[in-house]
Amino acid sequence: QVQLVQSGAEVKKPGASVKVSCKASGYTFTSYYMHWVRQAPGQGLEWMGIINPSGGSTSYAQKFQGRVTMTRDTSTSTVYMELSSLRSEDTAVYYCARERYYYDSSTPGYWGQGTLVTVSS
Amino acid sequence: DIQMTQSPSSLSASVGDRVTITCQASQDISNYLNWYQQKPGKAPKLLIYDASNLETGVPSRFSGSGSGTDFTFTISSLQPEDIATYYCQQYDNLPRTFGQGTKVEIK
């Protein structure tokens, strides 16, 4: 079965960077895109971007362009999301979510457990 | 970006009631719409894809309809375990965007 296991909670200072990992298992890693979605405390869901684990190509929401980098390591079936120049508004739970469809980018179908990133001085 | 507007933002209903949530897109998105359920402290769960198709294992009391700009999500008979926040999400264009959510509570 599809499993996505994310790294643990992080506390960062404003201006720092954070790198969240998402280790996948139970399927062919390179055949399904991975989305990143975040949720600030008490707020809704916000789509950040997507990575194709096969070739490493990415697409980011304009809001995060220049601050977010999504990468993957096919040898360990792990995707990473790095967010730089952190500010207090980046405090949120960050989710990875595997695409539901083969080689598609439409539907976050299987979700990780989430990683809380707290930005505080 | 395509804006997704859900209404209401919250509702309270009795067990057994029919519950309806609407989602409006800022432009035509055909049927490129998903619905998710999120329980407190948990990750979202996909319930409906392509506007009206029930994900495997999801109870049949959940349904979706609509196309173009106007969509509806319905719970035919509200159960205590349905207490959650529900989100619509479009996939016609990048970036994918979500509605702001509808919190469903028991009266």
Side-chain angles (χ1 to χ4, degrees), chain A residues 59-105:
Chain A
S59 178
Y60 304 137
Q62 182 73 22
K63 175 176 179 176
F64 301 101
Q65 286 277 1
R67 283 209 303 145
V68 70
T69 304
M70 297 176 188
T71 56
R72 94 289 189 221
D73 181 345
T74 56
S75 68
T76 60
S77 299
T78 303
V79 295
Y80 300 90
M81 187 285 299
E82 184 170 21
L83 189 63
S84 62
S85 303
L86 289 169
R87 35 217 191 219
S88 58
E89 310 90 90
D90 294 318
T91 294
V93 175
Y94 289 77
Y95 293 102
C96 62
R98 201 209 80 173
E99 170 58 42
R100 183 183 188 277
Y101 301 101
Y102 181 73
Y103 275 120
D104 196 38
S105 62

Side-chain angles (χ1 to χ4, degrees), chain B residues 63-75:
Chain B
S63 65
S65 64
S67 67
T69 59
D70 295 303
F71 301 87
T72 301
F73 172 82
T74 300
I75 308 173

Side-chain angles (χ1 to χ4, degrees), chain B residues 76-97:
Chain B
S76 60
S77 177
L78 186 67
Q79 299 302 303
E81 60 267 31
D82 301 335
I83 299 315
T85 300
Y86 294 85
Y87 295 91
C88 59
Q89 174 243 324
Q90 67 78 23
Y91 55 91
D92 182 56
N93 276 0
L94 288 170
R96 310 309 186 204
T97 47

Side-chain angles (χ1 to χ4, degrees), chain B residues 14-44:
Chain B
S14 299
V15 173
D17 281 356
R18 183 180 185 87
V19 167
T20 298
I21 298 168
T22 64
C23 178
Q24 185 169 58
S26 60
Q27 64 187 67
D28 188 333
I29 59 169
S30 185
N31 68 329
Y32 300 145
L33 186 96
N34 300 317
W35 288 97
Y36 295 85
Q37 174 192 66
Q38 186 179 32
K39 296 185 177 181
K42 300 293 187 182

Side-chain angles (χ1 to χ4, degrees), chain A:
Chain A
Q1 72 283 18
V2 176
Q3 273 203 309
L4 302 173
V5 179
Q6 298 184 224
S7 50
E10 303 260 15
V11 179
K12 296 292 182 181
K13 293 195 183 301
S17 297
V18 68
K19 191 170 187 177
V20 178
S21 68
C22 171
K23 184 172 176 59
S25 62
Y27 69 96
T28 302
F29 176 70
T30 51
S31 295
Y32 295 87
Y33 287 46
M34 194 74 77
H35 304 255
W36 286 91
V37 176
R38 77 177 186 179
Q39 186 171 37
Q43 303 300 309
L45 302 170
E46 183 172 33
W47 189 87
M48 299 180 67
I50 194 167
I51 182 168
N52 176 356
S54 178
S57 60
T58 56
S59 178
Y60 304 137
Q62 182 73 22
K63 175 176 179 176
F64 301 101
Q65 286 277 1
R67 283 209 303 145
V68 70
T69 304
M70 297 176 188
T71 56
R72 94 289 189 221
D73 181 345
T74 56
S75 68
T76 60
S77 299
T78 303
V79 295
Y80 300 90
M81 187 285 299
E82 184 170 21
L83 189 63
S84 62
S85 303
L86 289 169
R87 35 217 191 219
S88 58
E89 310 90 90
D90 294 318
T91 294
V93 175
Y94 289 77
Y95 293 102
C96 62
R98 201 209 80 173
E99 170 58 42
R100 183 183 188 277
Y101 301 101
Y102 181 73
Y103 275 120
D104 196 38
S105 62
S106 62
T107 300
Y110 304 88
W111 295 65
Q113 84 275 20
T115 296
L116 175 62
V117 174
T118 302
V119 183
S120 174
S121 54

